[in-house]
Amino acid sequence: MIPPISNIYLETSAVNYLADKYIFLDAIATKIHHGLKGSRFYVSPVTIWEILLTENVERREQLIFYVQNLEYRELLNSPSEFIINYILAGCPKNEKKYSIHSKLPLSSTWSDICDNTSRTFVFEKNELLERTRKIRKGFNQASRFIENVGVAETGNNSTIAARLGLEGMLKRLKNINYEQISSRDRKKFKISLLLILIVLCYGVDFDNSFVEKYWSIIGIYSSQERFEYLFTKYEQLIYSGPFAVLSEIVLIQLEKGGKPTRGIFWDALHSIYVIYTNIFLTADEHFKKIRDNNDHPIYKRIVFLPEANLFTAKEIDITNISPRAF
C-alpha cells in the first residue's frame, strides 16, 4: 500500500479512523516499519487544530497520544506557508523541491511532544476558541459568497451584485480571454478568488503570522488592497498552482451535491497536502468523491481508508514489545 520513501499525510478523519482501529503500540510499530523504508507519516497545523478543538478531553488526549507515536517529529507547512513559498518562487509551473517542514512556533511544540510522548499540548482554550470563532465566521461568509460563483442561484440583490463583481474581475484577466473561458472554469476561477481572499488577505489559518510577515515586508495592510495587489501582480494564482487544486476540490464537492458550508473550506485547507505529499490518507467520503471524479494523477494520491487493504506486518521486537504494523 505504501511505497518506500513516501511522505504520507493524515487528514483529521484518518487520525480518528486509525486511533479507533489500532492501539498506540500499533502506531509505534507502523512508524518503525515504514521508517525503515524511508517513509514518514505527517500531520499539519490544520490537523492539530482540529484535534485541539475536540471537546471531549479524554478523546482529545487519546488522539494526541496516537499521533505522537505515529507521526514524524516535524510538522508540515501550514497552507499559507506553502502558498507564500509558491508566490516567492515566482508561481512556477513546476516547483523545485524544498523543505516541507513548518517554521511556525507550533512546529517546535510538536517536535518537543513527539520527542517526549509524556507531554501534551498546553494551550489557552479561550484564545483557541476565539481564533476559531473568527475563522468560522470567515468561512460562513465565504459559504454565502459561494452562491455568487453561479453554482447555486439566488435572487438576493446583494449576492447578485457580488456575483457581477466576481464576473467583472474575470473580465479583467490579462492572460486569459474571458470569452474563451468555459462556464465551469468561470465557476472554478471565482472560487479561487474567494480562497485567495480568505487565505492570503484575511489570513485564515491556525497561525497567520507567516502571511502577516509577507504583507508587512510589502507594506500592505488592508484586505482590499492585498486582494487588488495579488490580482494585479499574480493573476496566475487564480488558474494555476495550489489554488487551482483547492478550487477544483471545492467545485467537485458542490457539483456532487455538497452544500456551501464551512466544512468545504476546512476540506480545502486540508487538500493542499494532496499537492505536497505522496499519499493522502482520509476516511472522509468527500475526498473519495474528489478522487473518483477527477482523472488528474494528483488526486489518485488520495487513499480512502475504509476501502483500503490495511494489513498487519510481521512482528518486530523493539524495546521489548511486539507491536503490529499496518
Side-chain angles (χ1 to χ4, degrees):
M1 175 184 168
I2 298 175
I5 316 177
S6 295
N7 291 330
I8 307 115
Y9 178 64
L10 270 75
E11 182 260 337
T12 311
S13 67
V15 173
N16 282 275
Y17 180 88
L18 293 175
D20 287 336
K21 191 176 180 65
Y22 299 97
I23 63 174
F24 81 94
L25 292 179
D26 297 331
I28 295 172
T30 298
K31 182 176 183 178
I32 295 170
H33 176 74
H34 290 289
L36 292 172
K37 299 189 292 182
S39 293
R40 296 169 173 172
F41 290 85
Y42 282 101
V43 287
S44 69
V46 183
T47 315
I48 296 299
W49 187 0
E50 290 191 288
I51 290 174
L52 292 182
L53 288 174
T54 304
E55 292 187 7
N56 184 302
V57 176
E58 184 177 348
R59 176 62 172 175
R60 183 177 70 227
E61 292 305 315
Q62 177 197 4
L63 295 176
I64 292 171
F65 188 62
Y66 191 85
V67 293
Q68 282 174 286
N69 284 286
L70 175 62
E71 309 298 324
Y72 187 57
R73 66 183 300 278
E74 298 280 356
L75 201 61
L76 285 174
N77 278 339
S78 67
S80 56
E81 284 180 289
F82 275 126
I83 292 169
I84 294 295
N85 285 339
Y86 174 75
I87 292 173
L88 293 176
C91 302
K93 289 186 178 179
N94 296 299
E95 278 188 276
K96 294 181 179 179
K97 289 186 177 181
Y98 65 92
S99 173
I100 58 175
H101 299 147
S102 176
K103 295 179 176 61
L104 296 176
L106 178 65
S107 64
S108 297
T109 303
W110 173 248
S111 295
D112 287 342
I113 71 168
C114 281
D115 293 341
N116 183 350
T117 56
S118 66
R119 298 178 180 177
T120 188
F121 286 103
V122 178
F123 60 95
E124 173 52 53
K125 184 177 180 180
N126 290 335
E127 182 179 332
L128 178 70
L129 292 177
E130 177 61 19
R131 176 68 180 156
T132 303
R133 184 192 67 79
K134 290 179 180 178
I135 290 171
R136 284 176 172 165
K137 181 179 179 181
F139 283 169
N140 285 335
Q141 291 174 338
S143 297
R144 291 195 294 271
F145 290 157
I146 279 291
E147 295 179 339
N148 310 331
V149 307
V151 177
E153 296 298 330
T154 177
N156 184 284
N157 289 334
S158 63
T159 54
I160 290 174
R163 185 185 307 155
L164 292 175
L166 290 171
E167 200 77 23
M169 296 199 77
L170 297 187
K171 291 178 179 179
R172 290 173 53 198
L173 292 173
K174 296 178 181 178
N175 298 316
I176 291 184
N177 187 329
Y178 173 82
E179 299 300 330
Q180 296 178 354
I181 306 174
S182 68
S183 173
R184 188 180 189 279
D185 279 345
R186 288 182 187 180
K187 295 173 184 177
K188 183 177 172 180
F189 294 167
K190 290 174 187 177
I191 293 172
S192 285
L193 287 168
L194 292 176
L195 292 172
I196 290 168
L197 184 65
I198 292 168
V199 177
L200 294 180
C201 301
Y202 293 159
V204 172
D205 209 336
F206 182 84
D207 182 337
N208 65 353
S209 59
F210 203 76
V211 169
E212 292 304 323
K213 180 180 179 181
Y214 172 77
W215 288 118
S216 66
I217 292 172
I218 296 174
I220 300 178
Y221 301 96
S222 160
S223 296
Q224 183 175 349
E225 290 177 359
R226 291 174 176 182
F227 193 52
E228 185 63 30
Y229 172 86
L230 292 171
F231 182 84
T232 303
K233 190 173 177 63
Y234 298 108
E235 78 164 46
Q236 62 266 49
L237 286 173
I238 299 168
Y239 43 78
S240 64
F243 285 112
V245 175
L246 272 60
S247 61
E248 176 70 17
I249 284 175
V250 171
L251 183 54
I252 287 174
Q253 289 197 53
L254 293 173
E255 290 174 333
K256 295 301 173 182
K259 301 297 182 183
T261 62
R262 63 173 181 256
I264 279 182
F265 294 99
W266 287 109
D267 286 352
L269 292 180
H270 276 295
S271 64
I272 197 168
Y273 300 101
V274 173
I275 305 172
Y276 293 101
T277 58
N278 306 112
I279 297 174
F280 183 101
L281 298 182
T282 183
D284 190 330
E285 289 275 357
H286 292 149
F287 286 107
K288 181 179 183 294
K289 290 180 181 177
I290 290 161
R291 181 198 63 192
D292 295 345
N293 289 277
N294 198 301
D295 293 330
H296 195 288
I298 195 172
Y299 299 103
K300 303 312 174 187
R301 298 174 181 177
I302 297 172
V303 174
F304 184 58
L305 285 172
E307 67 179 17
N309 293 319
L310 299 180
F311 64 92
T312 301
K314 294 180 179 179
E315 290 190 345
I316 47 179
D317 189 10
I318 295 179
T319 63
N320 295 319
I321 60 174
S322 296
R324 301 173 301 165
F326 53 83

